[in-house]
Amino acid sequence: MTGRHLITDAQNTWCPGCGNFSIQHTLKNVLTDLEQEGEDLDQIVLVSGIGCHAKIADYLDINSFYSIHGRAIPVASGIKLANRDLKVICCVGDGDAYAEGLDHLIFAAKRNIDITVIVHNNRVYGLTTGQYTPTSPHGFKGKSTPMGTLEYPLNPLELMLASGGTYIARGYTQKRDQLKSLIRGAIDHKGFAFVDVLQICATFFNMTSQYNPRVYPLQEYDRSDAGIACEKVREWDYNSDAPIALGLFYQRSALTFDEQFRHQSLHGKERQILIEEFLATRQ
Ligand code: SF4
């Protein structure tokens, strides 16, 4: 299938100004580039969870699986392990991935499952009209916490670094060129690729005026150095008014879960070929 428009005719119900539009159009542009480079888009699968973000599965005209809350990552992992030739992109929300589905996220990173996880991190449950999530700041006042949440947010990048993620990045819906290159890099990466996207929720938690003066692009450093990456991801804890670095924080190559599985089940010459293939990718 070629020359697809990639946006479906489904009625779009996102609020005006929602950052989900940026992610949708950025992903569409990445897919268009891939198609122009000869990639068969039928070999790409989009998996979404539940929440405002998840409607992207309705709005992008590619193979997709609209899963259930918190379970998009195991669905994506299963698809990849069943057919390793597919590229699997998993769009999830912060409530989806950092609350109910957190264990799946950690284990997908730990196993280095070869999927791309894009977190639409608006730091609020938008679809259910404004409750706090694991990345909402301390004191966030929403429907379930009218006096302010007593919890501090978790830092998803630090968590992914500790869990074994092999591509860890942060983007922002108002920096679309950079977001495009981060998503493209994640799709090209072999292994578990994680992109936390600061997504504006125009209706329940519009952080535009707080983010815009504070975001800056990460400077050059050795992206395979976990120590430096750890320092960088800790600069902002998702709670303070510190500057917010955007970009690729960490990347390393490692055998993926499906490669290890093949490894285990192959013997003799086939096994040696696989090892040589892997070593060649590291040169
Ligand atoms: Fe977007 Fe927020 Fe509206 Fe949901 S509630 S569609 S996240 S602006």
Side-chain angles (χ1 to χ4, degrees), residues 38 42 73 118 130 151 160 186 219 226 230 241 254 265:
D42 285 339
I73 289 171
I118 300 170
E151 295 178 29
M160 288 295 92
Q219 302 304 310
C230 191
D241 293 333
S265 50

Side-chain angles (χ1 to χ4, degrees), residues 13-47:
T13 58
W14 285 329
C15 310
C18 175
N20 280 313
F21 287 106
S22 293
I23 299 175
Q24 180 201 11
H25 284 275
T26 302
L27 191 50
K28 184 202 79 165
N29 291 339
V30 170
L31 294 170
T32 301
D33 287 354
L34 285 168
E35 187 179 39
Q36 285 170 354
E37 292 165 24
E39 191 81 38
D40 179 1
L41 294 191
D42 285 339
Q43 293 296 105
I44 296 177
V45 183
L46 173 68
V47 181

Side-chain angles (χ1 to χ4, degrees), residues 14-15 18 20 52 122 126-127 199 201-204:
W14 285 329
C15 310
C18 175
N20 280 313
C52 293
N122 56 13
L127 194 66
Q199 179 230 309
C201 172
T203 303
F204 295 107

Side-chain angles (χ1 to χ4, degrees), residues 17 172 174 200-202 205-213:
Y172 175 35
Q174 298 204 9
I200 296 302
C201 172
F205 197 36
N206 192 338
M207 294 289 283
T208 308
S209 61
Q210 285 94 329
Y211 289 156
N212 281 353

